[in-house]
Amino acid sequence: MMGMLSCREAGYYLSLERDQTLAWPLKTKLSLHLAVCKNCRRYRVQLQWIDDAVDTMAESSRSLTLPEEARSRIAARLRTLHQGNPEDDSTSYP
């Protein structure tokens, strides 16, 4: 990997850095690219916004619970599917 990163490469590494630590030479190249590329800086902000939104949704969904009736229906449907009899379900789908 010689020279400056392209925007495509920078985008790839911006996504990758969300999940893992980049090696310092790559971090340096990415920082240099971000210093001169407004679009990639904007993309980095958008990635952070998406991460924050997903985290918020995950936190709020932890407190949600299904009513017991719905949980029983789902469990019964899963048992039916596990037994290999999907036709035994009385639920109709459009």
Side-chain angles (χ1 to χ4, degrees):
M1 191 172 7
M2 303 288 285
M4 287 282 289
L5 295 175
S6 68
C7 288
R8 178 175 287 206
E9 291 170 319
Y12 171 79
Y13 292 121
L14 284 169
S15 294
L16 189 62
E17 79 173 345
R18 315 308 284 164
D19 300 320
Q20 66 186 49
T21 303
L22 300 178
W24 71 266
L26 189 53
K27 255 187 188 178
T28 303
K29 285 186 175 191
L30 184 57
S31 294
L32 288 172
H33 182 89
L34 292 172
V36 297
C37 185
K38 179 175 80 171
N39 291 329
C40 288
R41 288 193 305 270
R42 184 178 302 136
Y43 181 62
R44 181 184 238 176
V45 169
Q46 291 170 345
L47 287 174
Q48 183 60 53
W49 183 86
I50 291 168
D51 280 352
D52 293 345
V54 168
D55 289 345
T56 299
M57 290 175 62
E59 288 172 15
S60 66
S61 69
R62 287 187 192 115
S63 64
L64 298 176
T65 57
L66 287 173
E68 184 58 39
E69 180 185 332
R71 291 172 42 184
S72 296
R73 264 195 335 264
I74 292 169
R77 176 69 173 136
L78 289 172
R79 281 192 298 276
T80 301
L81 289 172
H82 183 69
Q83 294 169 356
N85 300 319
E87 294 82 23
D88 292 346
D89 183 23
S90 61
T91 306
S92 61
Y93 297 97

